[in-house]
Amino acid sequence: MNVLLDNFPEFRDGFIGTVSITAVSSVIALVLGVLVAGLRVSPVPPLRIFGTAWVTLLRNTPLTLLFLVSFFVVPEIFFPGMSPFLLGSLALGFYTSSFVCEAVRSGINTVPLGQAEAARSIGMTFSQTLRIVVLPQATRTVIPPLSSIFIALTKNSAIAGAFSVTELFGWQKLMSDRGYAIAPVFIWVALGYLVVTFAISGLFWLVERRMEVAR
Amino acid sequence: MSGVSVTKGAEDAAPAANDLVVLSNVNKHFGALHVLQDIDLTIARGEVVVVIGPSGSGKSTLCRTINRLETIDSGAISIDGKPLPQEGRELARLRADVGMVFQSFNLFAHKTVLENVMLGQIKVRRTDKKTAEDKARSLLDRVGVATQADKYPAQLSGGQQQRVAIARALAMDPKVILFDEPTSALDPEMINEVLEVMQQLARDGMTMVVVTHEMGFARSAANRVVFMADGKIVEEATPDQFFSNPRSDRAKDFLSKILHH
Protein backbone atom coordinates (compact mmCIF):
# COMPACT_ATOMS: atom_id res chain seq x y z
CA MET A 1 0.00 0.00 0.00
CA ASN A 2 1.10 3.48 -0.78
CA VAL A 3 1.06 6.23 1.82
CA LEU A 4 0.57 8.94 -0.79
CA LEU A 5 -2.17 7.32 -2.87
CA ASP A 6 -4.08 6.09 0.16
CA ASN A 7 -4.09 9.51 1.76
CA PHE A 8 -4.08 11.71 -1.29
CA PRO A 9 -6.96 14.05 -0.34
CA GLU A 10 -5.19 14.98 2.89
CA PHE A 11 -1.87 15.39 1.06
CA ARG A 12 -3.57 17.58 -1.55
CA ASP A 13 -5.17 19.75 1.13
CA GLY A 14 -1.83 20.08 2.88
CA PHE A 15 -0.10 21.02 -0.36
CA ILE A 16 -2.74 23.59 -1.21
CA GLY A 17 -2.48 24.89 2.36
CA THR A 18 1.26 25.38 2.03
CA VAL A 19 0.90 27.07 -1.33
CA SER A 20 -1.84 29.37 0.00
CA ILE A 21 -0.09 30.41 3.18
CA THR A 22 3.12 30.93 1.20
CA ALA A 23 1.32 33.06 -1.37
CA VAL A 24 -0.63 35.15 1.12
CA SER A 25 2.30 35.78 3.45
CA SER A 26 4.61 36.49 0.49
CA VAL A 27 2.27 39.25 -0.60
CA ILE A 28 2.10 40.61 2.96
CA ALA A 29 5.90 40.40 3.29
CA LEU A 30 6.52 42.04 -0.07
CA VAL A 31 4.12 44.95 0.45
CA LEU A 32 5.21 45.60 4.04
CA GLY A 33 8.88 45.02 3.25
CA VAL A 34 8.97 47.56 0.41
CA LEU A 35 6.95 50.01 2.50
CA VAL A 36 9.22 49.70 5.51
CA ALA A 37 12.32 49.97 3.30
CA GLY A 38 10.86 53.26 2.08
CA LEU A 39 10.45 54.37 5.69
CA ARG A 40 14.01 53.40 6.50
CA VAL A 41 15.43 55.70 3.81
CA SER A 42 12.90 58.47 4.40
CA PRO A 43 14.09 61.99 5.21
CA VAL A 44 11.69 62.09 8.18
CA PRO A 45 13.46 60.86 11.34
CA PRO A 46 10.38 59.38 13.14
CA LEU A 47 9.60 57.26 10.08
CA ARG A 48 13.20 56.09 9.90
CA ILE A 49 13.10 55.16 13.56
CA PHE A 50 9.85 53.25 13.09
CA GLY A 51 11.35 51.35 10.15
CA THR A 52 14.48 50.47 12.05
CA ALA A 53 12.48 49.34 15.08
CA TRP A 54 10.24 47.20 12.85
CA VAL A 55 13.19 45.38 11.32
CA THR A 56 15.09 45.00 14.57
CA LEU A 57 12.10 43.64 16.43
CA LEU A 58 10.77 41.22 13.81
CA ARG A 59 14.08 39.99 12.47
CA ASN A 60 15.44 39.14 15.88
CA THR A 61 12.39 37.40 17.26
CA PRO A 62 12.18 33.62 16.82
CA LEU A 63 9.43 32.83 14.35
CA THR A 64 7.76 30.39 16.74
CA LEU A 65 7.47 33.16 19.28
CA LEU A 66 5.84 35.39 16.67
CA PHE A 67 3.34 32.61 15.95
CA LEU A 68 2.59 32.38 19.66
CA VAL A 69 2.00 36.12 19.84
CA SER A 70 -0.08 36.04 16.69
CA PHE A 71 -2.27 33.16 17.88
CA PHE A 72 -2.66 33.97 21.55
CA VAL A 73 -2.22 37.74 21.92
CA VAL A 74 -3.52 39.25 18.67
CA PRO A 75 -6.99 37.60 18.81
CA GLU A 76 -7.36 38.53 22.49
CA ILE A 77 -6.56 42.20 22.00
CA PHE A 78 -7.20 43.15 18.40
CA PHE A 79 -9.13 40.83 16.13
CA PRO A 80 -11.09 38.13 17.90
CA GLY A 81 -12.27 35.30 15.73
CA MET A 82 -9.64 35.57 13.03
CA SER A 83 -8.99 32.29 11.23
CA PRO A 84 -5.79 30.35 12.02
CA PHE A 85 -4.85 30.64 8.36
CA LEU A 86 -4.92 34.43 8.46
CA LEU A 87 -3.15 34.62 11.82
CA GLY A 88 -0.42 32.31 10.53
CA SER A 89 -0.08 34.32 7.32
CA LEU A 90 0.25 37.52 9.34
CA ALA A 91 2.95 36.11 11.60
CA LEU A 92 4.90 34.71 8.67
CA GLY A 93 4.35 37.81 6.52
CA PHE A 94 5.41 40.25 9.23
CA TYR A 95 8.47 38.19 10.09
CA THR A 96 9.56 37.90 6.47
CA SER A 97 8.83 41.58 5.77
CA SER A 98 11.86 42.51 7.87
CA PHE A 99 14.11 40.44 5.61
CA VAL A 100 12.45 41.78 2.47
CA CYS A 101 12.95 45.30 3.81
CA GLU A 102 16.67 44.79 4.23
CA ALA A 103 17.04 43.23 0.78
CA VAL A 104 15.14 46.14 -0.78
CA ARG A 105 17.18 48.65 1.20
CA SER A 106 20.41 47.10 -0.01
CA GLY A 107 19.02 47.38 -3.54
CA ILE A 108 18.14 51.04 -2.98
CA ASN A 109 21.71 51.65 -1.86
CA THR A 110 23.08 50.30 -5.13
CA VAL A 111 21.26 52.95 -7.16
CA PRO A 112 23.64 55.88 -7.63
CA LEU A 113 22.75 58.87 -5.46
CA GLY A 114 22.72 61.08 -8.55
CA GLN A 115 19.56 59.34 -9.78
CA ALA A 116 17.62 60.45 -6.71
CA GLU A 117 19.19 63.91 -6.83
CA ALA A 118 18.14 64.31 -10.45
CA ALA A 119 14.61 63.22 -9.61
CA ARG A 120 14.38 65.59 -6.68
CA SER A 121 15.75 68.47 -8.68
CA ILE A 122 13.01 68.19 -11.29
CA GLY A 123 10.55 68.55 -8.43
CA MET A 124 9.61 65.01 -7.55
CA THR A 125 8.58 64.36 -3.97
CA PHE A 126 10.38 61.78 -1.89
CA SER A 127 7.81 59.08 -2.58
CA GLN A 128 7.74 59.82 -6.31
CA THR A 129 11.53 59.66 -6.42
CA LEU A 130 11.44 56.31 -4.68
CA ARG A 131 8.58 54.83 -6.71
CA ILE A 132 9.41 56.16 -10.16
CA VAL A 133 13.19 56.39 -10.21
CA VAL A 134 14.92 54.49 -7.42
CA LEU A 135 12.89 51.32 -6.80
CA PRO A 136 12.59 50.32 -10.48
CA GLN A 137 16.37 50.49 -10.72
CA ALA A 138 16.84 48.69 -7.42
CA THR A 139 14.64 45.78 -8.50
CA ARG A 140 17.36 44.06 -10.51
CA THR A 141 19.64 43.83 -7.49
CA VAL A 142 16.84 42.82 -5.15
CA ILE A 143 15.52 39.86 -7.15
CA PRO A 144 18.20 37.25 -6.25
CA PRO A 145 18.06 37.78 -2.46
CA LEU A 146 14.26 37.99 -2.60
CA SER A 147 14.09 34.59 -4.20
CA SER A 148 16.07 33.13 -1.27
CA ILE A 149 13.84 34.93 1.20
CA PHE A 150 10.65 33.53 -0.32
CA ILE A 151 12.06 30.03 -0.42
CA ALA A 152 12.90 30.36 3.27
CA LEU A 153 9.36 31.63 3.83
CA THR A 154 7.93 28.51 2.16
CA LYS A 155 9.86 26.26 4.50
CA ASN A 156 9.08 28.42 7.53
CA SER A 157 5.39 27.94 6.80
CA ALA A 158 5.79 24.44 8.31
CA ILE A 159 5.61 26.06 11.73
CA ALA A 160 2.04 27.10 10.99
CA GLY A 161 1.17 23.40 10.98
CA ALA A 162 1.79 23.30 14.70
CA PHE A 163 -0.83 26.03 15.08
CA SER A 164 -3.66 24.08 13.47
CA VAL A 165 -3.23 25.49 9.99
CA THR A 166 -3.67 22.83 7.34
CA GLU A 167 -0.40 22.62 5.45
CA LEU A 168 2.01 20.10 4.04
CA PHE A 169 4.18 19.46 7.06
CA GLY A 170 1.11 18.74 9.17
CA TRP A 171 0.36 15.83 6.86
CA GLN A 172 3.51 14.15 8.17
CA LYS A 173 2.16 14.22 11.71
CA LEU A 174 -1.19 12.91 10.55
CA MET A 175 0.49 10.02 8.72
CA SER A 176 2.75 9.05 11.58
CA ASP A 177 -0.34 9.11 13.84
CA ARG A 178 -1.96 6.70 11.40
CA GLY A 179 1.07 4.43 11.77
CA TYR A 180 2.80 4.80 8.43
CA ALA A 181 6.58 4.35 8.15
CA ILE A 182 8.16 7.72 8.65
CA ALA A 183 10.76 7.68 5.83
CA PRO A 184 8.42 7.53 2.80
CA VAL A 185 6.17 10.14 4.44
CA PHE A 186 9.04 12.55 4.72
CA ILE A 187 10.12 11.91 1.15
CA TRP A 188 6.68 12.87 -0.12
CA VAL A 189 6.59 15.95 2.11
CA ALA A 190 10.05 16.97 0.89
CA LEU A 191 8.96 16.50 -2.72
CA GLY A 192 5.92 18.65 -2.05
CA TYR A 193 8.10 21.45 -0.73
CA LEU A 194 10.51 21.04 -3.65
CA VAL A 195 7.68 21.64 -6.09
CA VAL A 196 6.85 24.93 -4.38
CA THR A 197 10.44 26.11 -3.93
CA PHE A 198 11.42 25.15 -7.47
CA ALA A 199 8.40 27.04 -8.75
CA ILE A 200 9.58 30.11 -6.82
CA SER A 201 13.14 29.76 -8.16
CA GLY A 202 11.79 29.41 -11.68
CA LEU A 203 9.53 32.42 -11.30
CA PHE A 204 12.38 34.59 -10.08
CA TRP A 205 14.65 33.26 -12.81
CA LEU A 206 12.11 34.42 -15.37
CA VAL A 207 11.76 37.83 -13.73
CA GLU A 208 15.53 38.19 -13.57
CA ARG A 209 15.87 37.43 -17.27
CA ARG A 210 13.20 39.93 -18.17
CA MET A 211 14.89 42.65 -16.12
CA GLU A 212 18.13 42.00 -17.91
CA VAL A 213 16.55 42.78 -21.26
CA ALA A 214 14.91 45.93 -19.98
CA ARG A 215 18.16 47.80 -19.59
CA MET B 1 22.73 91.79 1.45
CA SER B 2 25.98 93.66 1.20
CA GLY B 3 26.76 96.31 -1.35
CA VAL B 4 29.43 94.16 -2.96
CA SER B 5 26.96 91.63 -4.18
CA VAL B 6 24.65 94.03 -5.98
CA THR B 7 24.67 93.05 -9.63
CA LYS B 8 27.46 94.74 -11.44
CA GLY B 9 26.91 93.04 -14.74
CA ALA B 10 23.33 94.02 -15.31
CA GLU B 11 23.11 97.34 -17.09
CA ASP B 12 19.86 98.51 -15.59
CA ALA B 13 20.54 98.88 -11.87
CA ALA B 14 17.46 96.84 -11.15
CA PRO B 15 15.43 96.92 -7.94
CA ALA B 16 15.07 93.84 -5.75
CA ALA B 17 12.04 92.72 -7.76
CA ASN B 18 14.40 91.66 -10.50
CA ASP B 19 16.49 89.52 -8.20
CA LEU B 20 15.76 85.88 -8.86
CA VAL B 21 18.17 84.10 -6.55
CA VAL B 22 19.41 85.75 -3.39
CA LEU B 23 21.90 84.16 -1.03
CA SER B 24 22.66 86.16 2.05
CA ASN B 25 25.24 85.35 4.65
CA VAL B 26 25.23 81.64 3.81
CA ASN B 27 27.46 79.37 5.85
CA LYS B 28 28.01 75.66 5.57
CA HIS B 29 30.36 73.19 7.19
CA PHE B 30 31.34 69.68 6.21
CA GLY B 31 32.53 68.53 9.60
CA ALA B 32 35.42 70.79 10.51
CA LEU B 33 35.66 72.15 6.99
CA HIS B 34 33.98 75.53 6.53
CA VAL B 35 33.02 75.10 2.86
CA LEU B 36 30.86 78.19 2.48
CA GLN B 37 31.81 81.26 4.44
CA ASP B 38 29.43 84.22 4.59
CA ILE B 39 28.37 83.92 1.00
CA ASP B 40 26.36 86.84 -0.37
CA LEU B 41 25.27 86.47 -3.93
CA THR B 42 22.40 87.90 -5.93
CA ILE B 43 21.45 86.67 -9.34
CA ALA B 44 19.17 88.82 -11.43
CA ARG B 45 16.56 87.55 -13.85
CA GLY B 46 18.13 86.74 -17.21
CA GLU B 47 21.63 86.94 -15.85
CA VAL B 48 24.33 84.38 -16.59
CA VAL B 49 26.66 84.01 -13.64
CA VAL B 50 29.73 81.83 -14.01
CA VAL B 51 31.35 80.57 -10.84
CA ILE B 52 35.00 79.63 -11.16
CA GLY B 53 37.72 78.78 -8.75
CA PRO B 54 40.13 76.05 -7.72
CA SER B 55 38.91 72.59 -6.74
CA GLY B 56 37.56 72.39 -3.23
CA SER B 57 36.72 76.08 -3.15
CA GLY B 58 33.05 75.34 -2.52
CA LYS B 59 31.65 76.32 -5.89
CA SER B 60 29.78 73.06 -6.50
CA THR B 61 28.44 73.16 -2.96
CA LEU B 62 27.29 76.73 -3.53
CA CYS B 63 25.47 75.64 -6.67
CA ARG B 64 23.81 72.72 -4.88
CA THR B 65 22.61 74.82 -1.96
CA ILE B 66 20.48 76.90 -4.33
CA ASN B 67 17.99 74.04 -4.82
CA ARG B 68 18.73 72.65 -1.38
CA LEU B 69 20.43 69.46 -2.51
CA GLU B 70 22.85 70.66 0.15
CA THR B 71 21.42 72.18 3.29
CA ILE B 72 23.01 75.25 4.81
CA ASP B 73 23.96 75.85 8.43
CA SER B 74 23.07 79.52 8.59
CA GLY B 75 22.06 82.38 6.36
CA ALA B 76 19.17 82.58 3.94
CA ILE B 77 18.47 81.64 0.36
CA SER B 78 15.44 82.84 -1.53
CA ILE B 79 14.28 82.16 -5.03
CA ASP B 80 11.96 84.60 -6.73
CA GLY B 81 11.26 86.25 -3.40
CA LYS B 82 10.38 83.03 -1.57
CA PRO B 83 12.76 81.58 1.01
CA LEU B 84 13.75 77.95 0.44
CA PRO B 85 11.32 75.78 2.41
CA GLN B 86 12.18 72.69 4.44
CA GLU B 87 12.27 69.29 2.78
CA GLY B 88 8.78 68.36 1.67
CA ARG B 89 6.12 69.07 -0.90
CA GLU B 90 6.72 72.79 -0.97
CA LEU B 91 10.41 72.33 -1.61
CA ALA B 92 9.62 69.87 -4.39
CA ARG B 93 7.36 72.45 -6.02
CA LEU B 94 10.09 75.05 -5.82
CA ARG B 95 12.70 72.68 -7.22
CA ALA B 96 10.53 72.17 -10.27
CA ASP B 97 11.24 75.82 -11.07
CA VAL B 98 14.98 75.42 -10.62
CA GLY B 99 16.64 73.29 -13.27
CA MET B 100 19.79 71.40 -12.46
CA VAL B 101 22.40 69.92 -14.76
CA PHE B 102 24.94 67.63 -13.13
CA GLN B 103 28.54 66.81 -13.88
CA SER B 104 27.67 63.14 -14.25
CA PHE B 105 24.44 63.80 -16.25
CA ASN B 106 22.30 61.61 -13.96
CA LEU B 107 19.81 60.72 -16.65
CA PHE B 108 17.31 58.14 -15.43
CA ALA B 109 19.05 54.97 -16.54
CA HIS B 110 15.87 52.87 -16.81
CA LYS B 111 14.02 55.35 -19.03
CA THR B 112 14.54 56.23 -22.66
CA VAL B 113 15.81 59.64 -23.64
CA LEU B 114 12.30 60.74 -24.54
CA GLU B 115 10.87 59.43 -21.26
CA ASN B 116 13.61 61.25 -19.36
CA VAL B 117 12.43 64.54 -20.80
CA MET B 118 8.72 63.70 -20.38
CA LEU B 119 8.86 62.35 -16.83
CA GLY B 120 8.98 65.63 -14.93
CA GLN B 121 6.28 67.19 -17.09
CA ILE B 122 3.91 64.29 -16.50
CA LYS B 123 4.62 63.47 -12.86
CA VAL B 124 5.34 66.94 -11.50
CA ARG B 125 3.62 69.39 -13.83
CA ARG B 126 0.73 66.96 -14.52
CA THR B 127 0.90 67.72 -18.24
CA ASP B 128 -0.97 65.26 -20.44
CA LYS B 129 1.12 62.71 -22.27
CA LYS B 130 0.64 64.06 -25.76
CA THR B 131 1.65 67.62 -24.87
CA ALA B 132 4.60 66.35 -22.84
CA GLU B 133 5.83 64.21 -25.72
CA ASP B 134 5.53 67.05 -28.25
CA LYS B 135 7.44 69.35 -25.97
CA ALA B 136 10.07 66.71 -25.21
CA ARG B 137 10.62 66.06 -28.91
CA SER B 138 10.97 69.73 -29.73
CA LEU B 139 13.42 70.23 -26.86
CA LEU B 140 15.45 67.22 -27.96
CA ASP B 141 15.48 68.74 -31.41
CA ARG B 142 16.63 72.04 -29.97
CA VAL B 143 19.62 70.43 -28.25
CA GLY B 144 20.37 68.32 -31.31
CA VAL B 145 19.58 64.80 -30.12
CA ALA B 146 16.12 64.29 -31.63
CA THR B 147 17.25 61.16 -33.46
CA GLN B 148 18.24 59.47 -30.17
CA ALA B 149 14.82 59.83 -28.55
CA ASP B 150 14.10 56.13 -28.19
CA LYS B 151 17.51 55.03 -26.94
CA TYR B 152 18.53 54.51 -23.34
CA PRO B 153 21.00 56.98 -21.79
CA ALA B 154 23.79 54.39 -21.65
CA GLN B 155 23.66 54.12 -25.47
CA LEU B 156 24.51 57.81 -25.90
CA SER B 157 27.84 59.61 -25.80
CA GLY B 158 28.59 61.83 -22.84
CA GLY B 159 27.97 64.98 -24.83
CA GLN B 160 24.62 63.68 -26.03
CA GLN B 161 23.64 62.63 -22.51
CA GLN B 162 24.46 66.05 -21.14
CA ARG B 163 22.39 67.71 -23.84
CA VAL B 164 19.49 65.44 -22.96
CA ALA B 165 19.98 66.46 -19.33
CA ILE B 166 19.70 70.08 -20.39
CA ALA B 167 16.51 69.28 -22.31
CA ARG B 168 15.16 67.51 -19.22
CA ALA B 169 15.80 70.63 -17.16
CA LEU B 170 14.26 72.88 -19.82
CA ALA B 171 11.13 70.74 -19.99
CA MET B 172 10.09 72.07 -16.58
CA ASP B 173 10.18 75.69 -17.84
CA PRO B 174 12.54 76.59 -15.01
CA LYS B 175 13.12 80.15 -13.86
CA VAL B 176 16.79 79.43 -13.46
CA ILE B 177 19.08 76.55 -14.40
CA LEU B 178 22.02 75.52 -12.27
CA PHE B 179 24.94 73.89 -14.07
CA ASP B 180 27.29 71.98 -11.79
CA GLU B 181 30.46 71.48 -13.85
CA PRO B 182 28.46 70.31 -16.87
CA THR B 183 31.48 69.60 -19.05
CA SER B 184 33.95 68.23 -16.52
CA ALA B 185 33.13 64.59 -17.22
CA LEU B 186 33.26 64.96 -21.00
CA ASP B 187 35.83 64.12 -23.63
CA PRO B 188 37.40 67.29 -25.02
CA GLU B 189 35.66 66.93 -28.35
CA MET B 190 32.24 66.70 -26.74
CA ILE B 191 32.65 69.77 -24.59
CA ASN B 192 31.85 72.16 -27.38
CA GLU B 193 28.54 70.60 -28.35
CA VAL B 194 27.36 71.09 -24.78
CA LEU B 195 28.78 74.60 -24.47
CA GLU B 196 27.06 75.61 -27.69
CA VAL B 197 23.70 74.56 -26.31
CA MET B 198 24.43 76.51 -23.14
CA GLN B 199 25.51 79.54 -25.10
CA GLN B 200 22.29 79.41 -27.08
CA LEU B 201 20.36 79.28 -23.80
CA ALA B 202 22.25 82.28 -22.50
CA ARG B 203 21.42 84.22 -25.66
CA ASP B 204 17.77 83.27 -25.25
CA GLY B 205 17.78 85.03 -21.89
CA MET B 206 17.72 82.03 -19.54
CA THR B 207 18.93 82.79 -16.04
CA MET B 208 21.91 80.55 -15.46
CA VAL B 209 24.35 79.78 -12.69
CA VAL B 210 27.27 77.89 -14.17
CA VAL B 211 30.04 76.29 -12.18
CA THR B 212 32.74 75.49 -14.69
CA HIS B 213 36.38 75.34 -15.59
CA GLU B 214 35.66 76.47 -19.14
CA MET B 215 37.17 79.94 -19.24
CA GLY B 216 36.18 80.37 -22.87
CA PHE B 217 32.53 79.96 -21.92
CA ALA B 218 32.93 82.36 -19.00
CA ARG B 219 34.40 84.96 -21.33
CA SER B 220 31.83 84.65 -24.07
CA ALA B 221 28.56 83.92 -22.28
CA ALA B 222 28.77 85.26 -18.75
CA ASN B 223 27.35 88.56 -17.56
CA ARG B 224 29.35 88.18 -14.42
CA VAL B 225 32.16 86.02 -13.13
CA VAL B 226 32.23 84.98 -9.50
CA PHE B 227 35.61 83.79 -8.33
CA MET B 228 35.61 81.54 -5.27
CA ALA B 229 38.48 80.26 -3.19
CA ASP B 230 38.51 78.51 0.18
CA GLY B 231 34.79 78.85 0.69
CA LYS B 232 34.64 82.57 0.05
CA ILE B 233 33.65 84.74 -2.86
CA VAL B 234 36.93 86.48 -3.51
CA GLU B 235 36.01 88.52 -6.50
CA GLU B 236 33.02 89.41 -8.65
CA ALA B 237 33.43 91.18 -11.95
CA THR B 238 32.44 91.23 -15.58
CA PRO B 239 34.34 88.64 -17.60
CA ASP B 240 36.39 91.34 -19.33
CA GLN B 241 37.44 92.91 -16.07
CA PHE B 242 38.12 89.61 -14.42
CA PHE B 243 40.23 88.01 -17.12
CA SER B 244 42.18 91.08 -18.18
CA ASN B 245 42.55 92.75 -14.83
CA PRO B 246 41.81 90.61 -11.80
CA ARG B 247 41.96 92.59 -8.57
CA SER B 248 42.74 89.93 -5.99
CA ASP B 249 46.06 88.12 -5.75
CA ARG B 250 44.25 84.81 -5.39
CA ALA B 251 42.51 85.31 -8.73
CA LYS B 252 45.73 86.46 -10.40
CA ASP B 253 47.46 83.35 -9.15
CA PHE B 254 44.59 81.13 -10.32
CA LEU B 255 44.44 82.69 -13.76
CA SER B 256 48.20 82.54 -14.23
CA LYS B 257 48.05 78.81 -13.64
CA ILE B 258 45.22 77.99 -15.99
CA LEU B 259 45.65 80.43 -18.86
CA HIS B 260 49.22 79.57 -19.73
CA HIS B 261 48.81 76.43 -21.76
Side-chain angles (χ1 to χ4, degrees):
Chain A
M1 80 184 179
N2 186 310
V3 59
L4 181 68
L5 292 180
D6 293 349
N7 301 282
F8 192 73
E10 290 92 338
F11 182 85
R12 189 196 54 210
D13 290 348
F15 183 80
I16 290 171
T18 291
V19 170
S20 321
I21 194 169
T22 300
V24 171
S25 39
S26 291
V27 171
I28 295 174
L30 196 60
V31 171
L32 284 178
V34 173
L35 217 63
V36 176
L39 296 184
R40 287 205 75 176
V41 296
S42 144
V44 186
L47 297 183
R48 273 207 305 274
I49 293 169
F50 176 83
T52 312
W54 178 279
V55 171
T56 311
L57 191 72
L58 289 171
R59 193 170 58 168
N60 296 312
T61 310
L63 182 54
T64 317
L65 193 63
L66 279 182
F67 268 100
L68 283 170
V69 171
S70 182
F71 275 82
F72 299 113
V73 180
V74 172
E76 290 300 320
I77 302 175
F78 303 105
F79 310 105
M82 217 182 214
S83 75
F85 176 80
L86 262 181
L87 289 171
S89 300
L90 280 180
L92 199 52
F94 274 49
Y95 174 77
T96 313
S97 76
S98 64
F99 295 90
V100 172
C101 164
E102 291 303 89
V104 171
R105 198 165 65 95
S106 82
I108 289 173
N109 288 337
T110 63
V111 180
L113 191 61
Q115 294 287 316
E117 284 186 346
R120 284 156 68 203
S121 59
I122 58 170
M124 286 193 189
T125 61
F126 171 76
S127 75
Q128 282 181 318
T129 301
L130 206 58
R131 275 185 295 118
I132 301 168
V133 174
V134 177
L135 283 179
Q137 295 188 63
T139 314
R140 240 165 57 105
T141 348
V142 175
I143 296 298
L146 272 192
S147 121
S148 307
I149 289 170
F150 287 126
I151 286 171
L153 180 149
T154 309
K155 295 183 288 184
N156 285 339
S157 70
I159 297 179
F163 292 84
S164 63
V165 178
T166 311
E167 54 78 59
L168 198 50
F169 199 70
W171 184 73
Q172 162 270 136
K173 192 167 180 312
L174 191 67
M175 289 308 105
S176 64
D177 287 350
R178 288 184 188 171
Y180 286 97
I182 206 74
V185 171
F186 270 110
I187 287 171
W188 289 119
V189 169
L191 280 176
Y193 277 106
L194 271 185
V195 169
V196 182
T197 52
F198 271 28
I200 292 175
S201 305
L203 189 73
F204 274 89
W205 181 77
L206 279 177
V207 175
E208 216 173 312
R209 276 205 353 169
R210 277 200 47 165
M211 306 292 304
E212 218 141 13
V213 182
R215 186 142 135 159
Chain B
M1 162 188 19
S2 74
V4 193
S5 69
V6 172
T7 53
K8 297 184 191 76
E11 284 80 358
D12 46 345
N18 206 23
D19 293 343
L20 190 55
V21 180
V22 180
L23 288 82
S24 49
N25 208 18
V26 168
N27 279 282
K28 176 169 180 74
H29 298 78
F30 280 132
L33 189 66
H34 199 170
V35 275
L36 295 179
Q37 306 180 17
D38 302 321
I39 300 288
D40 286 306
L41 181 66
T42 304
I43 292 144
R45 227 172 278 276
E47 197 182 13
V48 177
V49 174
V50 169
V51 184
I52 60 177
S55 303
S57 58
K59 41 190 202 315
S60 276
T61 310
L62 175 71
C63 187
R64 289 162 56 87
T65 56
I66 297 176
N67 69 351
R68 211 175 180 278
L69 281 182
E70 297 284 354
T71 55
I72 56 175
D73 299 338
S74 67
I77 300 175
S78 66
I79 291 173
D80 211 0
K82 287 192 273 296
L84 274 189
Q86 292 293 304
E87 197 73 44
R89 258 166 217 289
E90 216 183 321
L91 180 65
R93 214 167 348 215
L94 187 132
R95 277 187 182 133
D97 291 336
V98 180
M100 178 109 190
V101 174
F102 299 86
Q103 178 176 349
S104 46
F105 329 130
N106 294 345
L107 292 177
F108 304 130
H110 62 308
K111 301 273 180 193
T112 64
V113 163
L114 185 67
E115 288 166 342
N116 263 276
V117 184
M118 289 168 65
L119 201 60
Q121 301 182 63
I122 292 171
K123 300 292 180 184
V124 178
R125 295 284 191 225
R126 306 281 169 201
T127 320
D128 67 278
K129 227 174 167 171
K130 185 77 188 72
T131 319
E133 183 174 338
D134 290 347
K135 186 171 182 181
R137 287 198 189 276
S138 82
L139 282 169
L140 288 173
D141 191 41
R142 182 167 159 194
V143 299
V145 287
T147 51
Q148 317 288 332
D150 297 319
K151 290 190 181 167
Y152 284 91
Q155 296 169 288
L156 269 57
S157 74
Q160 290 171 328
Q161 289 191 48
Q162 195 59 298
R163 285 183 282 152
V164 174
I166 294 173
R168 178 175 68 179
L170 285 173
M172 306 302 291
D173 295 319
K175 292 172 180 164
V176 51
I177 303 188
L178 313 170
F179 292 83
D180 184 9
E181 304 205 24
T183 56
S184 297
L186 295 176
D187 289 346
E189 53 181 345
M190 292 168 186
I191 290 177
N192 274 336
E193 62 190 50
V194 172
L195 289 182
E196 270 160 32
V197 170
M198 290 169 61
Q199 236 140 11
Q200 187 57 50
L201 276 181
R203 279 197 291 274
D204 294 347
M206 175 60 73
T207 311
M208 295 160 69
V209 179
V210 185
V211 174
T212 188
H213 293 292
E214 294 299 324
M215 299 304 147
F217 177 81
R219 253 185 226 277
S220 61
N223 298 114
R224 183 157 46 122
V225 172
V226 171
F227 176 73
M228 282 187 78
D230 306 319
K232 294 191 205 75
I233 292 181
V234 177
E235 194 165 338
E236 281 184 74
T238 62
D240 276 351
Q241 273 174 355
F242 180 78
F243 287 109
S244 56
N245 191 18
R247 279 168 293 148
S248 62
D249 290 341
R250 190 71 186 80
K252 280 176 193 159
D253 182 50
F254 178 74
L255 288 174
S256 74
K257 278 177 187 150
I258 57 162
L259 294 180
H260 281 198
H261 53 88

